Amino acid sequence: MSESNLAARSDGLEGQVSGARVIAQALKTQDVNYMFGIVGIPVTEIALAAQEVGIRYIGMRNEQAACYAASAVGYLTGRPGVCLVVSGPGLIHGLGGMANANMNCWPLIVIGGSSERSQETMGAFQEFPQVEACRLYSKFSARPSSIEAIPSIIEKAVRSSIYGRPGACYVDIPADFVNLQVNVNSIKYVECCMPPPVSMAETSAVRMAASVIRNAKQPLVIIGKGAAYAHAEESIRKLVEQCKLPFLPTPMGKGVIRDNHPNCVAAARSRALQFADVIVLLGARLNWILHFGLPPRYQPDVKFIQVDICAEELGNNVRPAVTLLGDINAVTKQLLEQFDKTPWQYPPESEWWKVLREKMKSNEALSKELASKKSLPMNYYTVFYHVQEQLPRDCFVVSEGANTMDIGRTVLQNYLPRHRLDAGTFGTMGVGLGFAIAAAIVAKDRNPGKRVICVEGDSAFGFSGMEVETICRYNLPIVLLVVNNNGIYQGFDTDSWKEMLKFGDATTVAPPMSLLPHSHYEHVMTAFGGKGYFVQTPEELQKSLRQSLADTTNPSLINIMIEPQATRKAQQREEILKKKHGNGDGEHRKTRPER
């Protein structure tokens, strides 16, 4: 029996098929396997139909988190996840996830219900110009003109989301389409779109790039998340090892080559960027994360070799020495061919390597010194070093929060590509639990038993904390670590908080970055049946983490109390209590080693 006839029988009307079933079957035909969302009028039937055709549906508690999860699936699998939202406010809540996907260059499909066609401009329920609004946040935004047009629109949305620079796409579904029945023979499903075509750089440009690298006195390779998405790990590792080049990963480029590789110079990041004379950018953009490629963070005459899938990215902020337009994996292989023809290695005993290794050694020693402090409450380094000791090498690490993410990136190691997810290019807070759920769902299907560790600041956790219920409902064995300093960047201990409130109401005397001290976030997890731990010492942290990792059937949350203002001097704290605030720098600005 054909898929169309099966669809008709499922709908209960011989020879008829509903719009909801057409949407679901069109997605399945395009090899879309995951849907995240919140159901309601008019999209509930779409979620039910998706389950009937074999698409996994994960019901979330907020559309933003659902959209973050769907986009992370796109990054992890190479096929877009779907975020299903209701009309008006539901879609608007999802726009943050669409923007984040577009900025991160991750494939995503958002399907939004909308008001009935016959009620347009009449003030219909949750009426909103959704197609127009989504054009600002997506590569493609459209409403099918009929149910018969749905398969071709969905095929184009999927294809647009993964071709070229990946991104978000939007498909608008009028409410009257969802349950409308049409003749099954009128529906023509479009064959699954092919994987993105692999483009290669011009041979002459590749030769020029190889020549620039050979003549470098202080070379550096920067590996971005574009390289991770392109599955270029093997070719990049061969290039780095064959040519003996130092490399620096961007935050989500971590793991393309393992962090503990001898050529990784992440512990001397600032020094490497500032004094390199030739920099090879592999799927990394010269945006704020890399200080735009401009002095004083870089030498004024540094030569950039840009490798990117997007032509418009080449030449942004700098005038590159060479531009290589194409698939990161394919172009890296082209570079390898040049070095295979005429072998070349950068001297491992060069002065440049000596400078980098000395800086790495001194920074690592300072980090260990900070981690070894015995005083309580703990500091960030103490927490992360104890966590790192127990993390499985193949785990996913999800991280968000200002100090938590920034300092954690320098300590928590990644050994595999596409195993770190964080706030990313858009610097988005609230992504953590959605990303963790996506990673856990994908791991469940592809790598059963692989763990997901979600490391959150207490402020970051607040953005999507109710997704703990989602984690428990689907019994995802995620380990949540909430690094709790009672605030945004910094907060107050309980005594200081009470002392401050003597001067007035919290709305007038509490600094805007402060949160309620000593909050028991672990109770959020236990409320839904998971395991919760409240820890204040390294011994308690080690024990709770060991128990959480040993439990492969239940999620857990470890609430880790740290010093709210670890580096502030006593007189500075008194000034805050008297409302004479300091400069607001976070702890990581004070204690993190200059890299």
Side-chain angles (χ1 to χ4, degrees):
M1 185 178 291
S2 69
E3 287 180 341
S4 299
N5 288 334
L6 279 171
R9 289 189 61 179
S10 173
D11 286 331
L13 297 172
E14 190 66 36
Q16 298 286 299
V17 63
S18 71
R21 183 65 181 222
V22 172
I23 294 165
Q25 188 58 59
L27 289 168
K28 189 65 177 176
T29 301
Q30 297 304 319
D31 196 25
V32 173
N33 296 301
Y34 301 94
M35 179 181 286
F36 301 80
I38 299 177
V39 295
I41 297 171
V43 301
T44 302
E45 290 81 3
I46 298 174
L48 292 168
Q51 289 181 315
E52 288 174 1
V53 301
I55 295 174
R56 284 185 176 273
Y57 176 80
I58 299 92
M60 307 285 282
R61 300 303 300 267
N62 181 280
E63 287 91 356
Q64 275 190 335
C67 213
Y68 296 143
S71 67
V73 160
Y75 173 65
L76 294 171
T77 69
R79 299 299 284 192
V82 172
C83 177
L84 181 69
V85 298
V86 300
S87 51
L91 174 70
I92 292 169
H93 292 166
L95 291 179
M98 290 181 69
N100 189 67
N102 243 23
M103 296 297 285
N104 272 338
C105 310
W106 291 357
L108 165 71
I109 304 295
V110 176
I111 294 179
S114 60
S115 50
E116 295 186 15
R117 292 171 297 166
S118 63
Q119 297 175 356
E120 284 186 3
T121 75
M122 296 176 64
F125 175 66
Q126 296 184 335
E127 184 176 3
F128 187 72
Q130 298 181 181
V131 175
E132 295 84 350
C134 288
R135 287 201 175 105
L136 289 173
Y137 305 92
S138 63
K139 294 180 67 180
F140 172 77
S141 180
R143 170 192 275 197
S145 58
S146 64
I147 291 179
E148 288 80 3
I150 286 173
S152 62
I153 290 290
I154 285 180
E155 186 276 339
K156 184 168 184 179
V158 171
R159 177 163 40 88
S160 298
S161 76
I162 61 176
Y163 277 32
R165 173 183 276 182
C169 294
Y170 175 67
V171 179
D172 191 75
I173 303 296
D176 49 309
F177 274 16
V178 176
N179 292 311
L180 185 63
Q181 302 279 330
V182 298
N183 190 304
V184 69
N185 295 320
S186 69
I187 304 298
K188 306 297 180 186
Y189 292 99
V190 182
E191 187 176 352
C192 184
C193 66
M194 298 293 288
V198 176
S199 55
M200 301 173 71
E202 291 183 1
T203 304
S204 60
V206 175
R207 283 198 298 265
M208 185 183 299
S211 175
V212 172
I213 294 170
R214 290 176 197 274
N215 290 310
K217 291 181 172 57
Q218 297 179 169
L220 178 67
V221 174
I222 298 180
I223 303 172
K225 69 175 176 289
Y229 182 80
H231 289 248
E233 51 267 20
E234 284 304 311
S235 57
I236 292 176
R237 181 184 58 78
K238 287 179 182 177
L239 178 67
V240 164
E241 292 181 348
Q242 184 172 319
C243 296
K244 308 294 184 186
L245 295 168
F247 76 89
L248 174 70
T250 65
M252 270 190 277
K254 283 165 60 69
V256 171
I257 304 177
R258 56 188 170 87
D259 281 347
N260 64 346
H261 191 283
N263 290 40
C264 180
V265 296
R269 181 182 187 272
S270 294
R271 186 63 54 91
L273 294 178
Q274 189 172 9
F275 294 104
D277 66 342
V278 171
I279 295 179
V280 184
L281 294 164
L282 297 175
R285 290 173 280 178
L286 291 174
N287 54 25
W288 67 275
I289 293 176
L290 289 176
H291 315 289
F292 312 107
L294 300 174
R297 291 284 190 165
Y298 296 81
Q299 291 295 301
D301 57 350
V302 60
K303 295 180 179 178
F304 286 103
I305 298 172
Q306 283 186 285
V307 185
D308 205 284
I309 193 69
C310 178
E312 290 81 0
E313 189 61 40
L314 302 174
N316 269 354
N317 299 324
V318 301
R319 185 174 180 84
V322 188
T323 57
L324 301 176
L325 176 64
D327 176 82
I328 307 298
N329 192 32
V331 175
T332 305
K333 288 178 178 178
Q334 286 181 282
L335 282 169
L336 273 168
E337 288 175 5
Q338 294 296 317
F339 292 112
D340 285 339
K341 289 177 184 177
T342 309
W344 172 86
Q345 290 184 347
Y346 183 70
E349 302 306 319
S350 66
E351 186 63 24
W352 177 229
W353 263 120
K354 182 181 178 182
V355 167
L356 292 174
R357 289 188 181 115
E358 286 178 354
K359 191 62 178 175
M360 289 166 62
K361 186 177 179 179
S362 65
N363 281 338
E364 287 166 354
L366 181 53
S367 293
K368 288 179 181 178
E369 180 185 347
L370 290 165
S372 66
K373 291 186 180 300
K374 304 296 184 182
S375 58
L376 295 177
M378 295 179 284
N379 64 46
Y380 286 101
Y381 287 90
T382 303
V383 168
F384 292 135
Y385 270 95
H386 285 297
V387 171
Q388 174 58 33
E389 286 179 350
Q390 294 194 46
L391 285 190
R393 290 175 69 94
D394 66 346
C395 72
F396 289 94
V397 177
V398 180
S399 184
E400 68 167 329
N403 300 351
T404 299
M405 182 177 66
D406 198 12
I407 299 173
R409 171 177 54 82
T410 68
V411 181
L412 303 179
Q413 301 284 290
N414 286 93
Y415 305 96
L416 295 171
R418 298 168 297 282
H419 277 60
R420 177 182 167 89
L421 299 164
D422 65 26
T425 306
F426 212 24
T428 309
M429 289 295 101
V431 297
L433 273 67
F435 283 1
I437 290 167
I441 291 290
V442 171
K444 203 172 190 179
D445 287 348
R446 300 188 175 198
N447 304 102
K450 183 170 286 193
R451 304 309 301 271
V452 177
I453 314 299
C454 184
V455 187
E456 301 269 302
D458 51 333
S459 172
F461 178 73
F463 281 82
S464 56
M466 275 303 292
E467 297 302 334
V468 166
E469 187 275 332
T470 307
I471 291 170
C472 291
R473 185 174 2 120
Y474 293 104
N475 200 32
L476 302 173
I478 296 168
V479 179
L480 286 168
L481 307 179
V482 178
V483 184
N484 188 352
N485 70 344
N486 301 335
I488 304 169
Y489 301 115
Q490 67 274 318
F492 296 92
D493 58 37
T494 304
D495 291 340
S496 298
W497 177 263
K498 290 178 179 178
E499 183 69 23
M500 179 175 59
L501 293 184
K502 292 178 180 178
F503 293 94
D505 183 83
T507 58
T508 59
V509 301
M513 72 284 291
S514 58
L515 299 173
L516 189 67
H518 221 66
S519 294
H520 282 266
Y521 297 111
E522 74 279 4
H523 292 333
V524 180
M525 179 64 81
T526 58
F528 300 113
K531 302 289 182 66
Y533 303 89
F534 182 79
V535 306
Q536 296 176 287
T537 68
E539 294 75 22
E540 291 173 344
L541 174 58
Q542 290 170 330
K543 181 180 178 181
S544 61
L545 185 56
R546 188 161 48 248
Q547 291 175 348
S548 298
L549 291 171
D551 188 347
T552 58
T553 58
N554 295 296
S556 60
L557 189 155
I558 305 174
N559 185 14
I560 307 166
M561 300 305 299
I562 67 169
E563 168 57 46
Q565 301 179 47
T567 61
R568 286 190 178 273
K569 297 178 182 179
Q571 64 268 27
Q572 289 177 309
R573 184 173 303 191
E574 291 303 318
E575 288 174 0
I576 289 178
L577 291 176
K578 295 174 183 176
K579 297 174 61 179
K580 296 178 182 177
H581 305 309
N583 61 13
D585 284 338
E587 177 186 332
H588 67 300
R589 304 297 180 195
K590 298 281 187 178
T591 63
R592 187 179 57 196
E594 175 56 40
R595 298 180 183 277

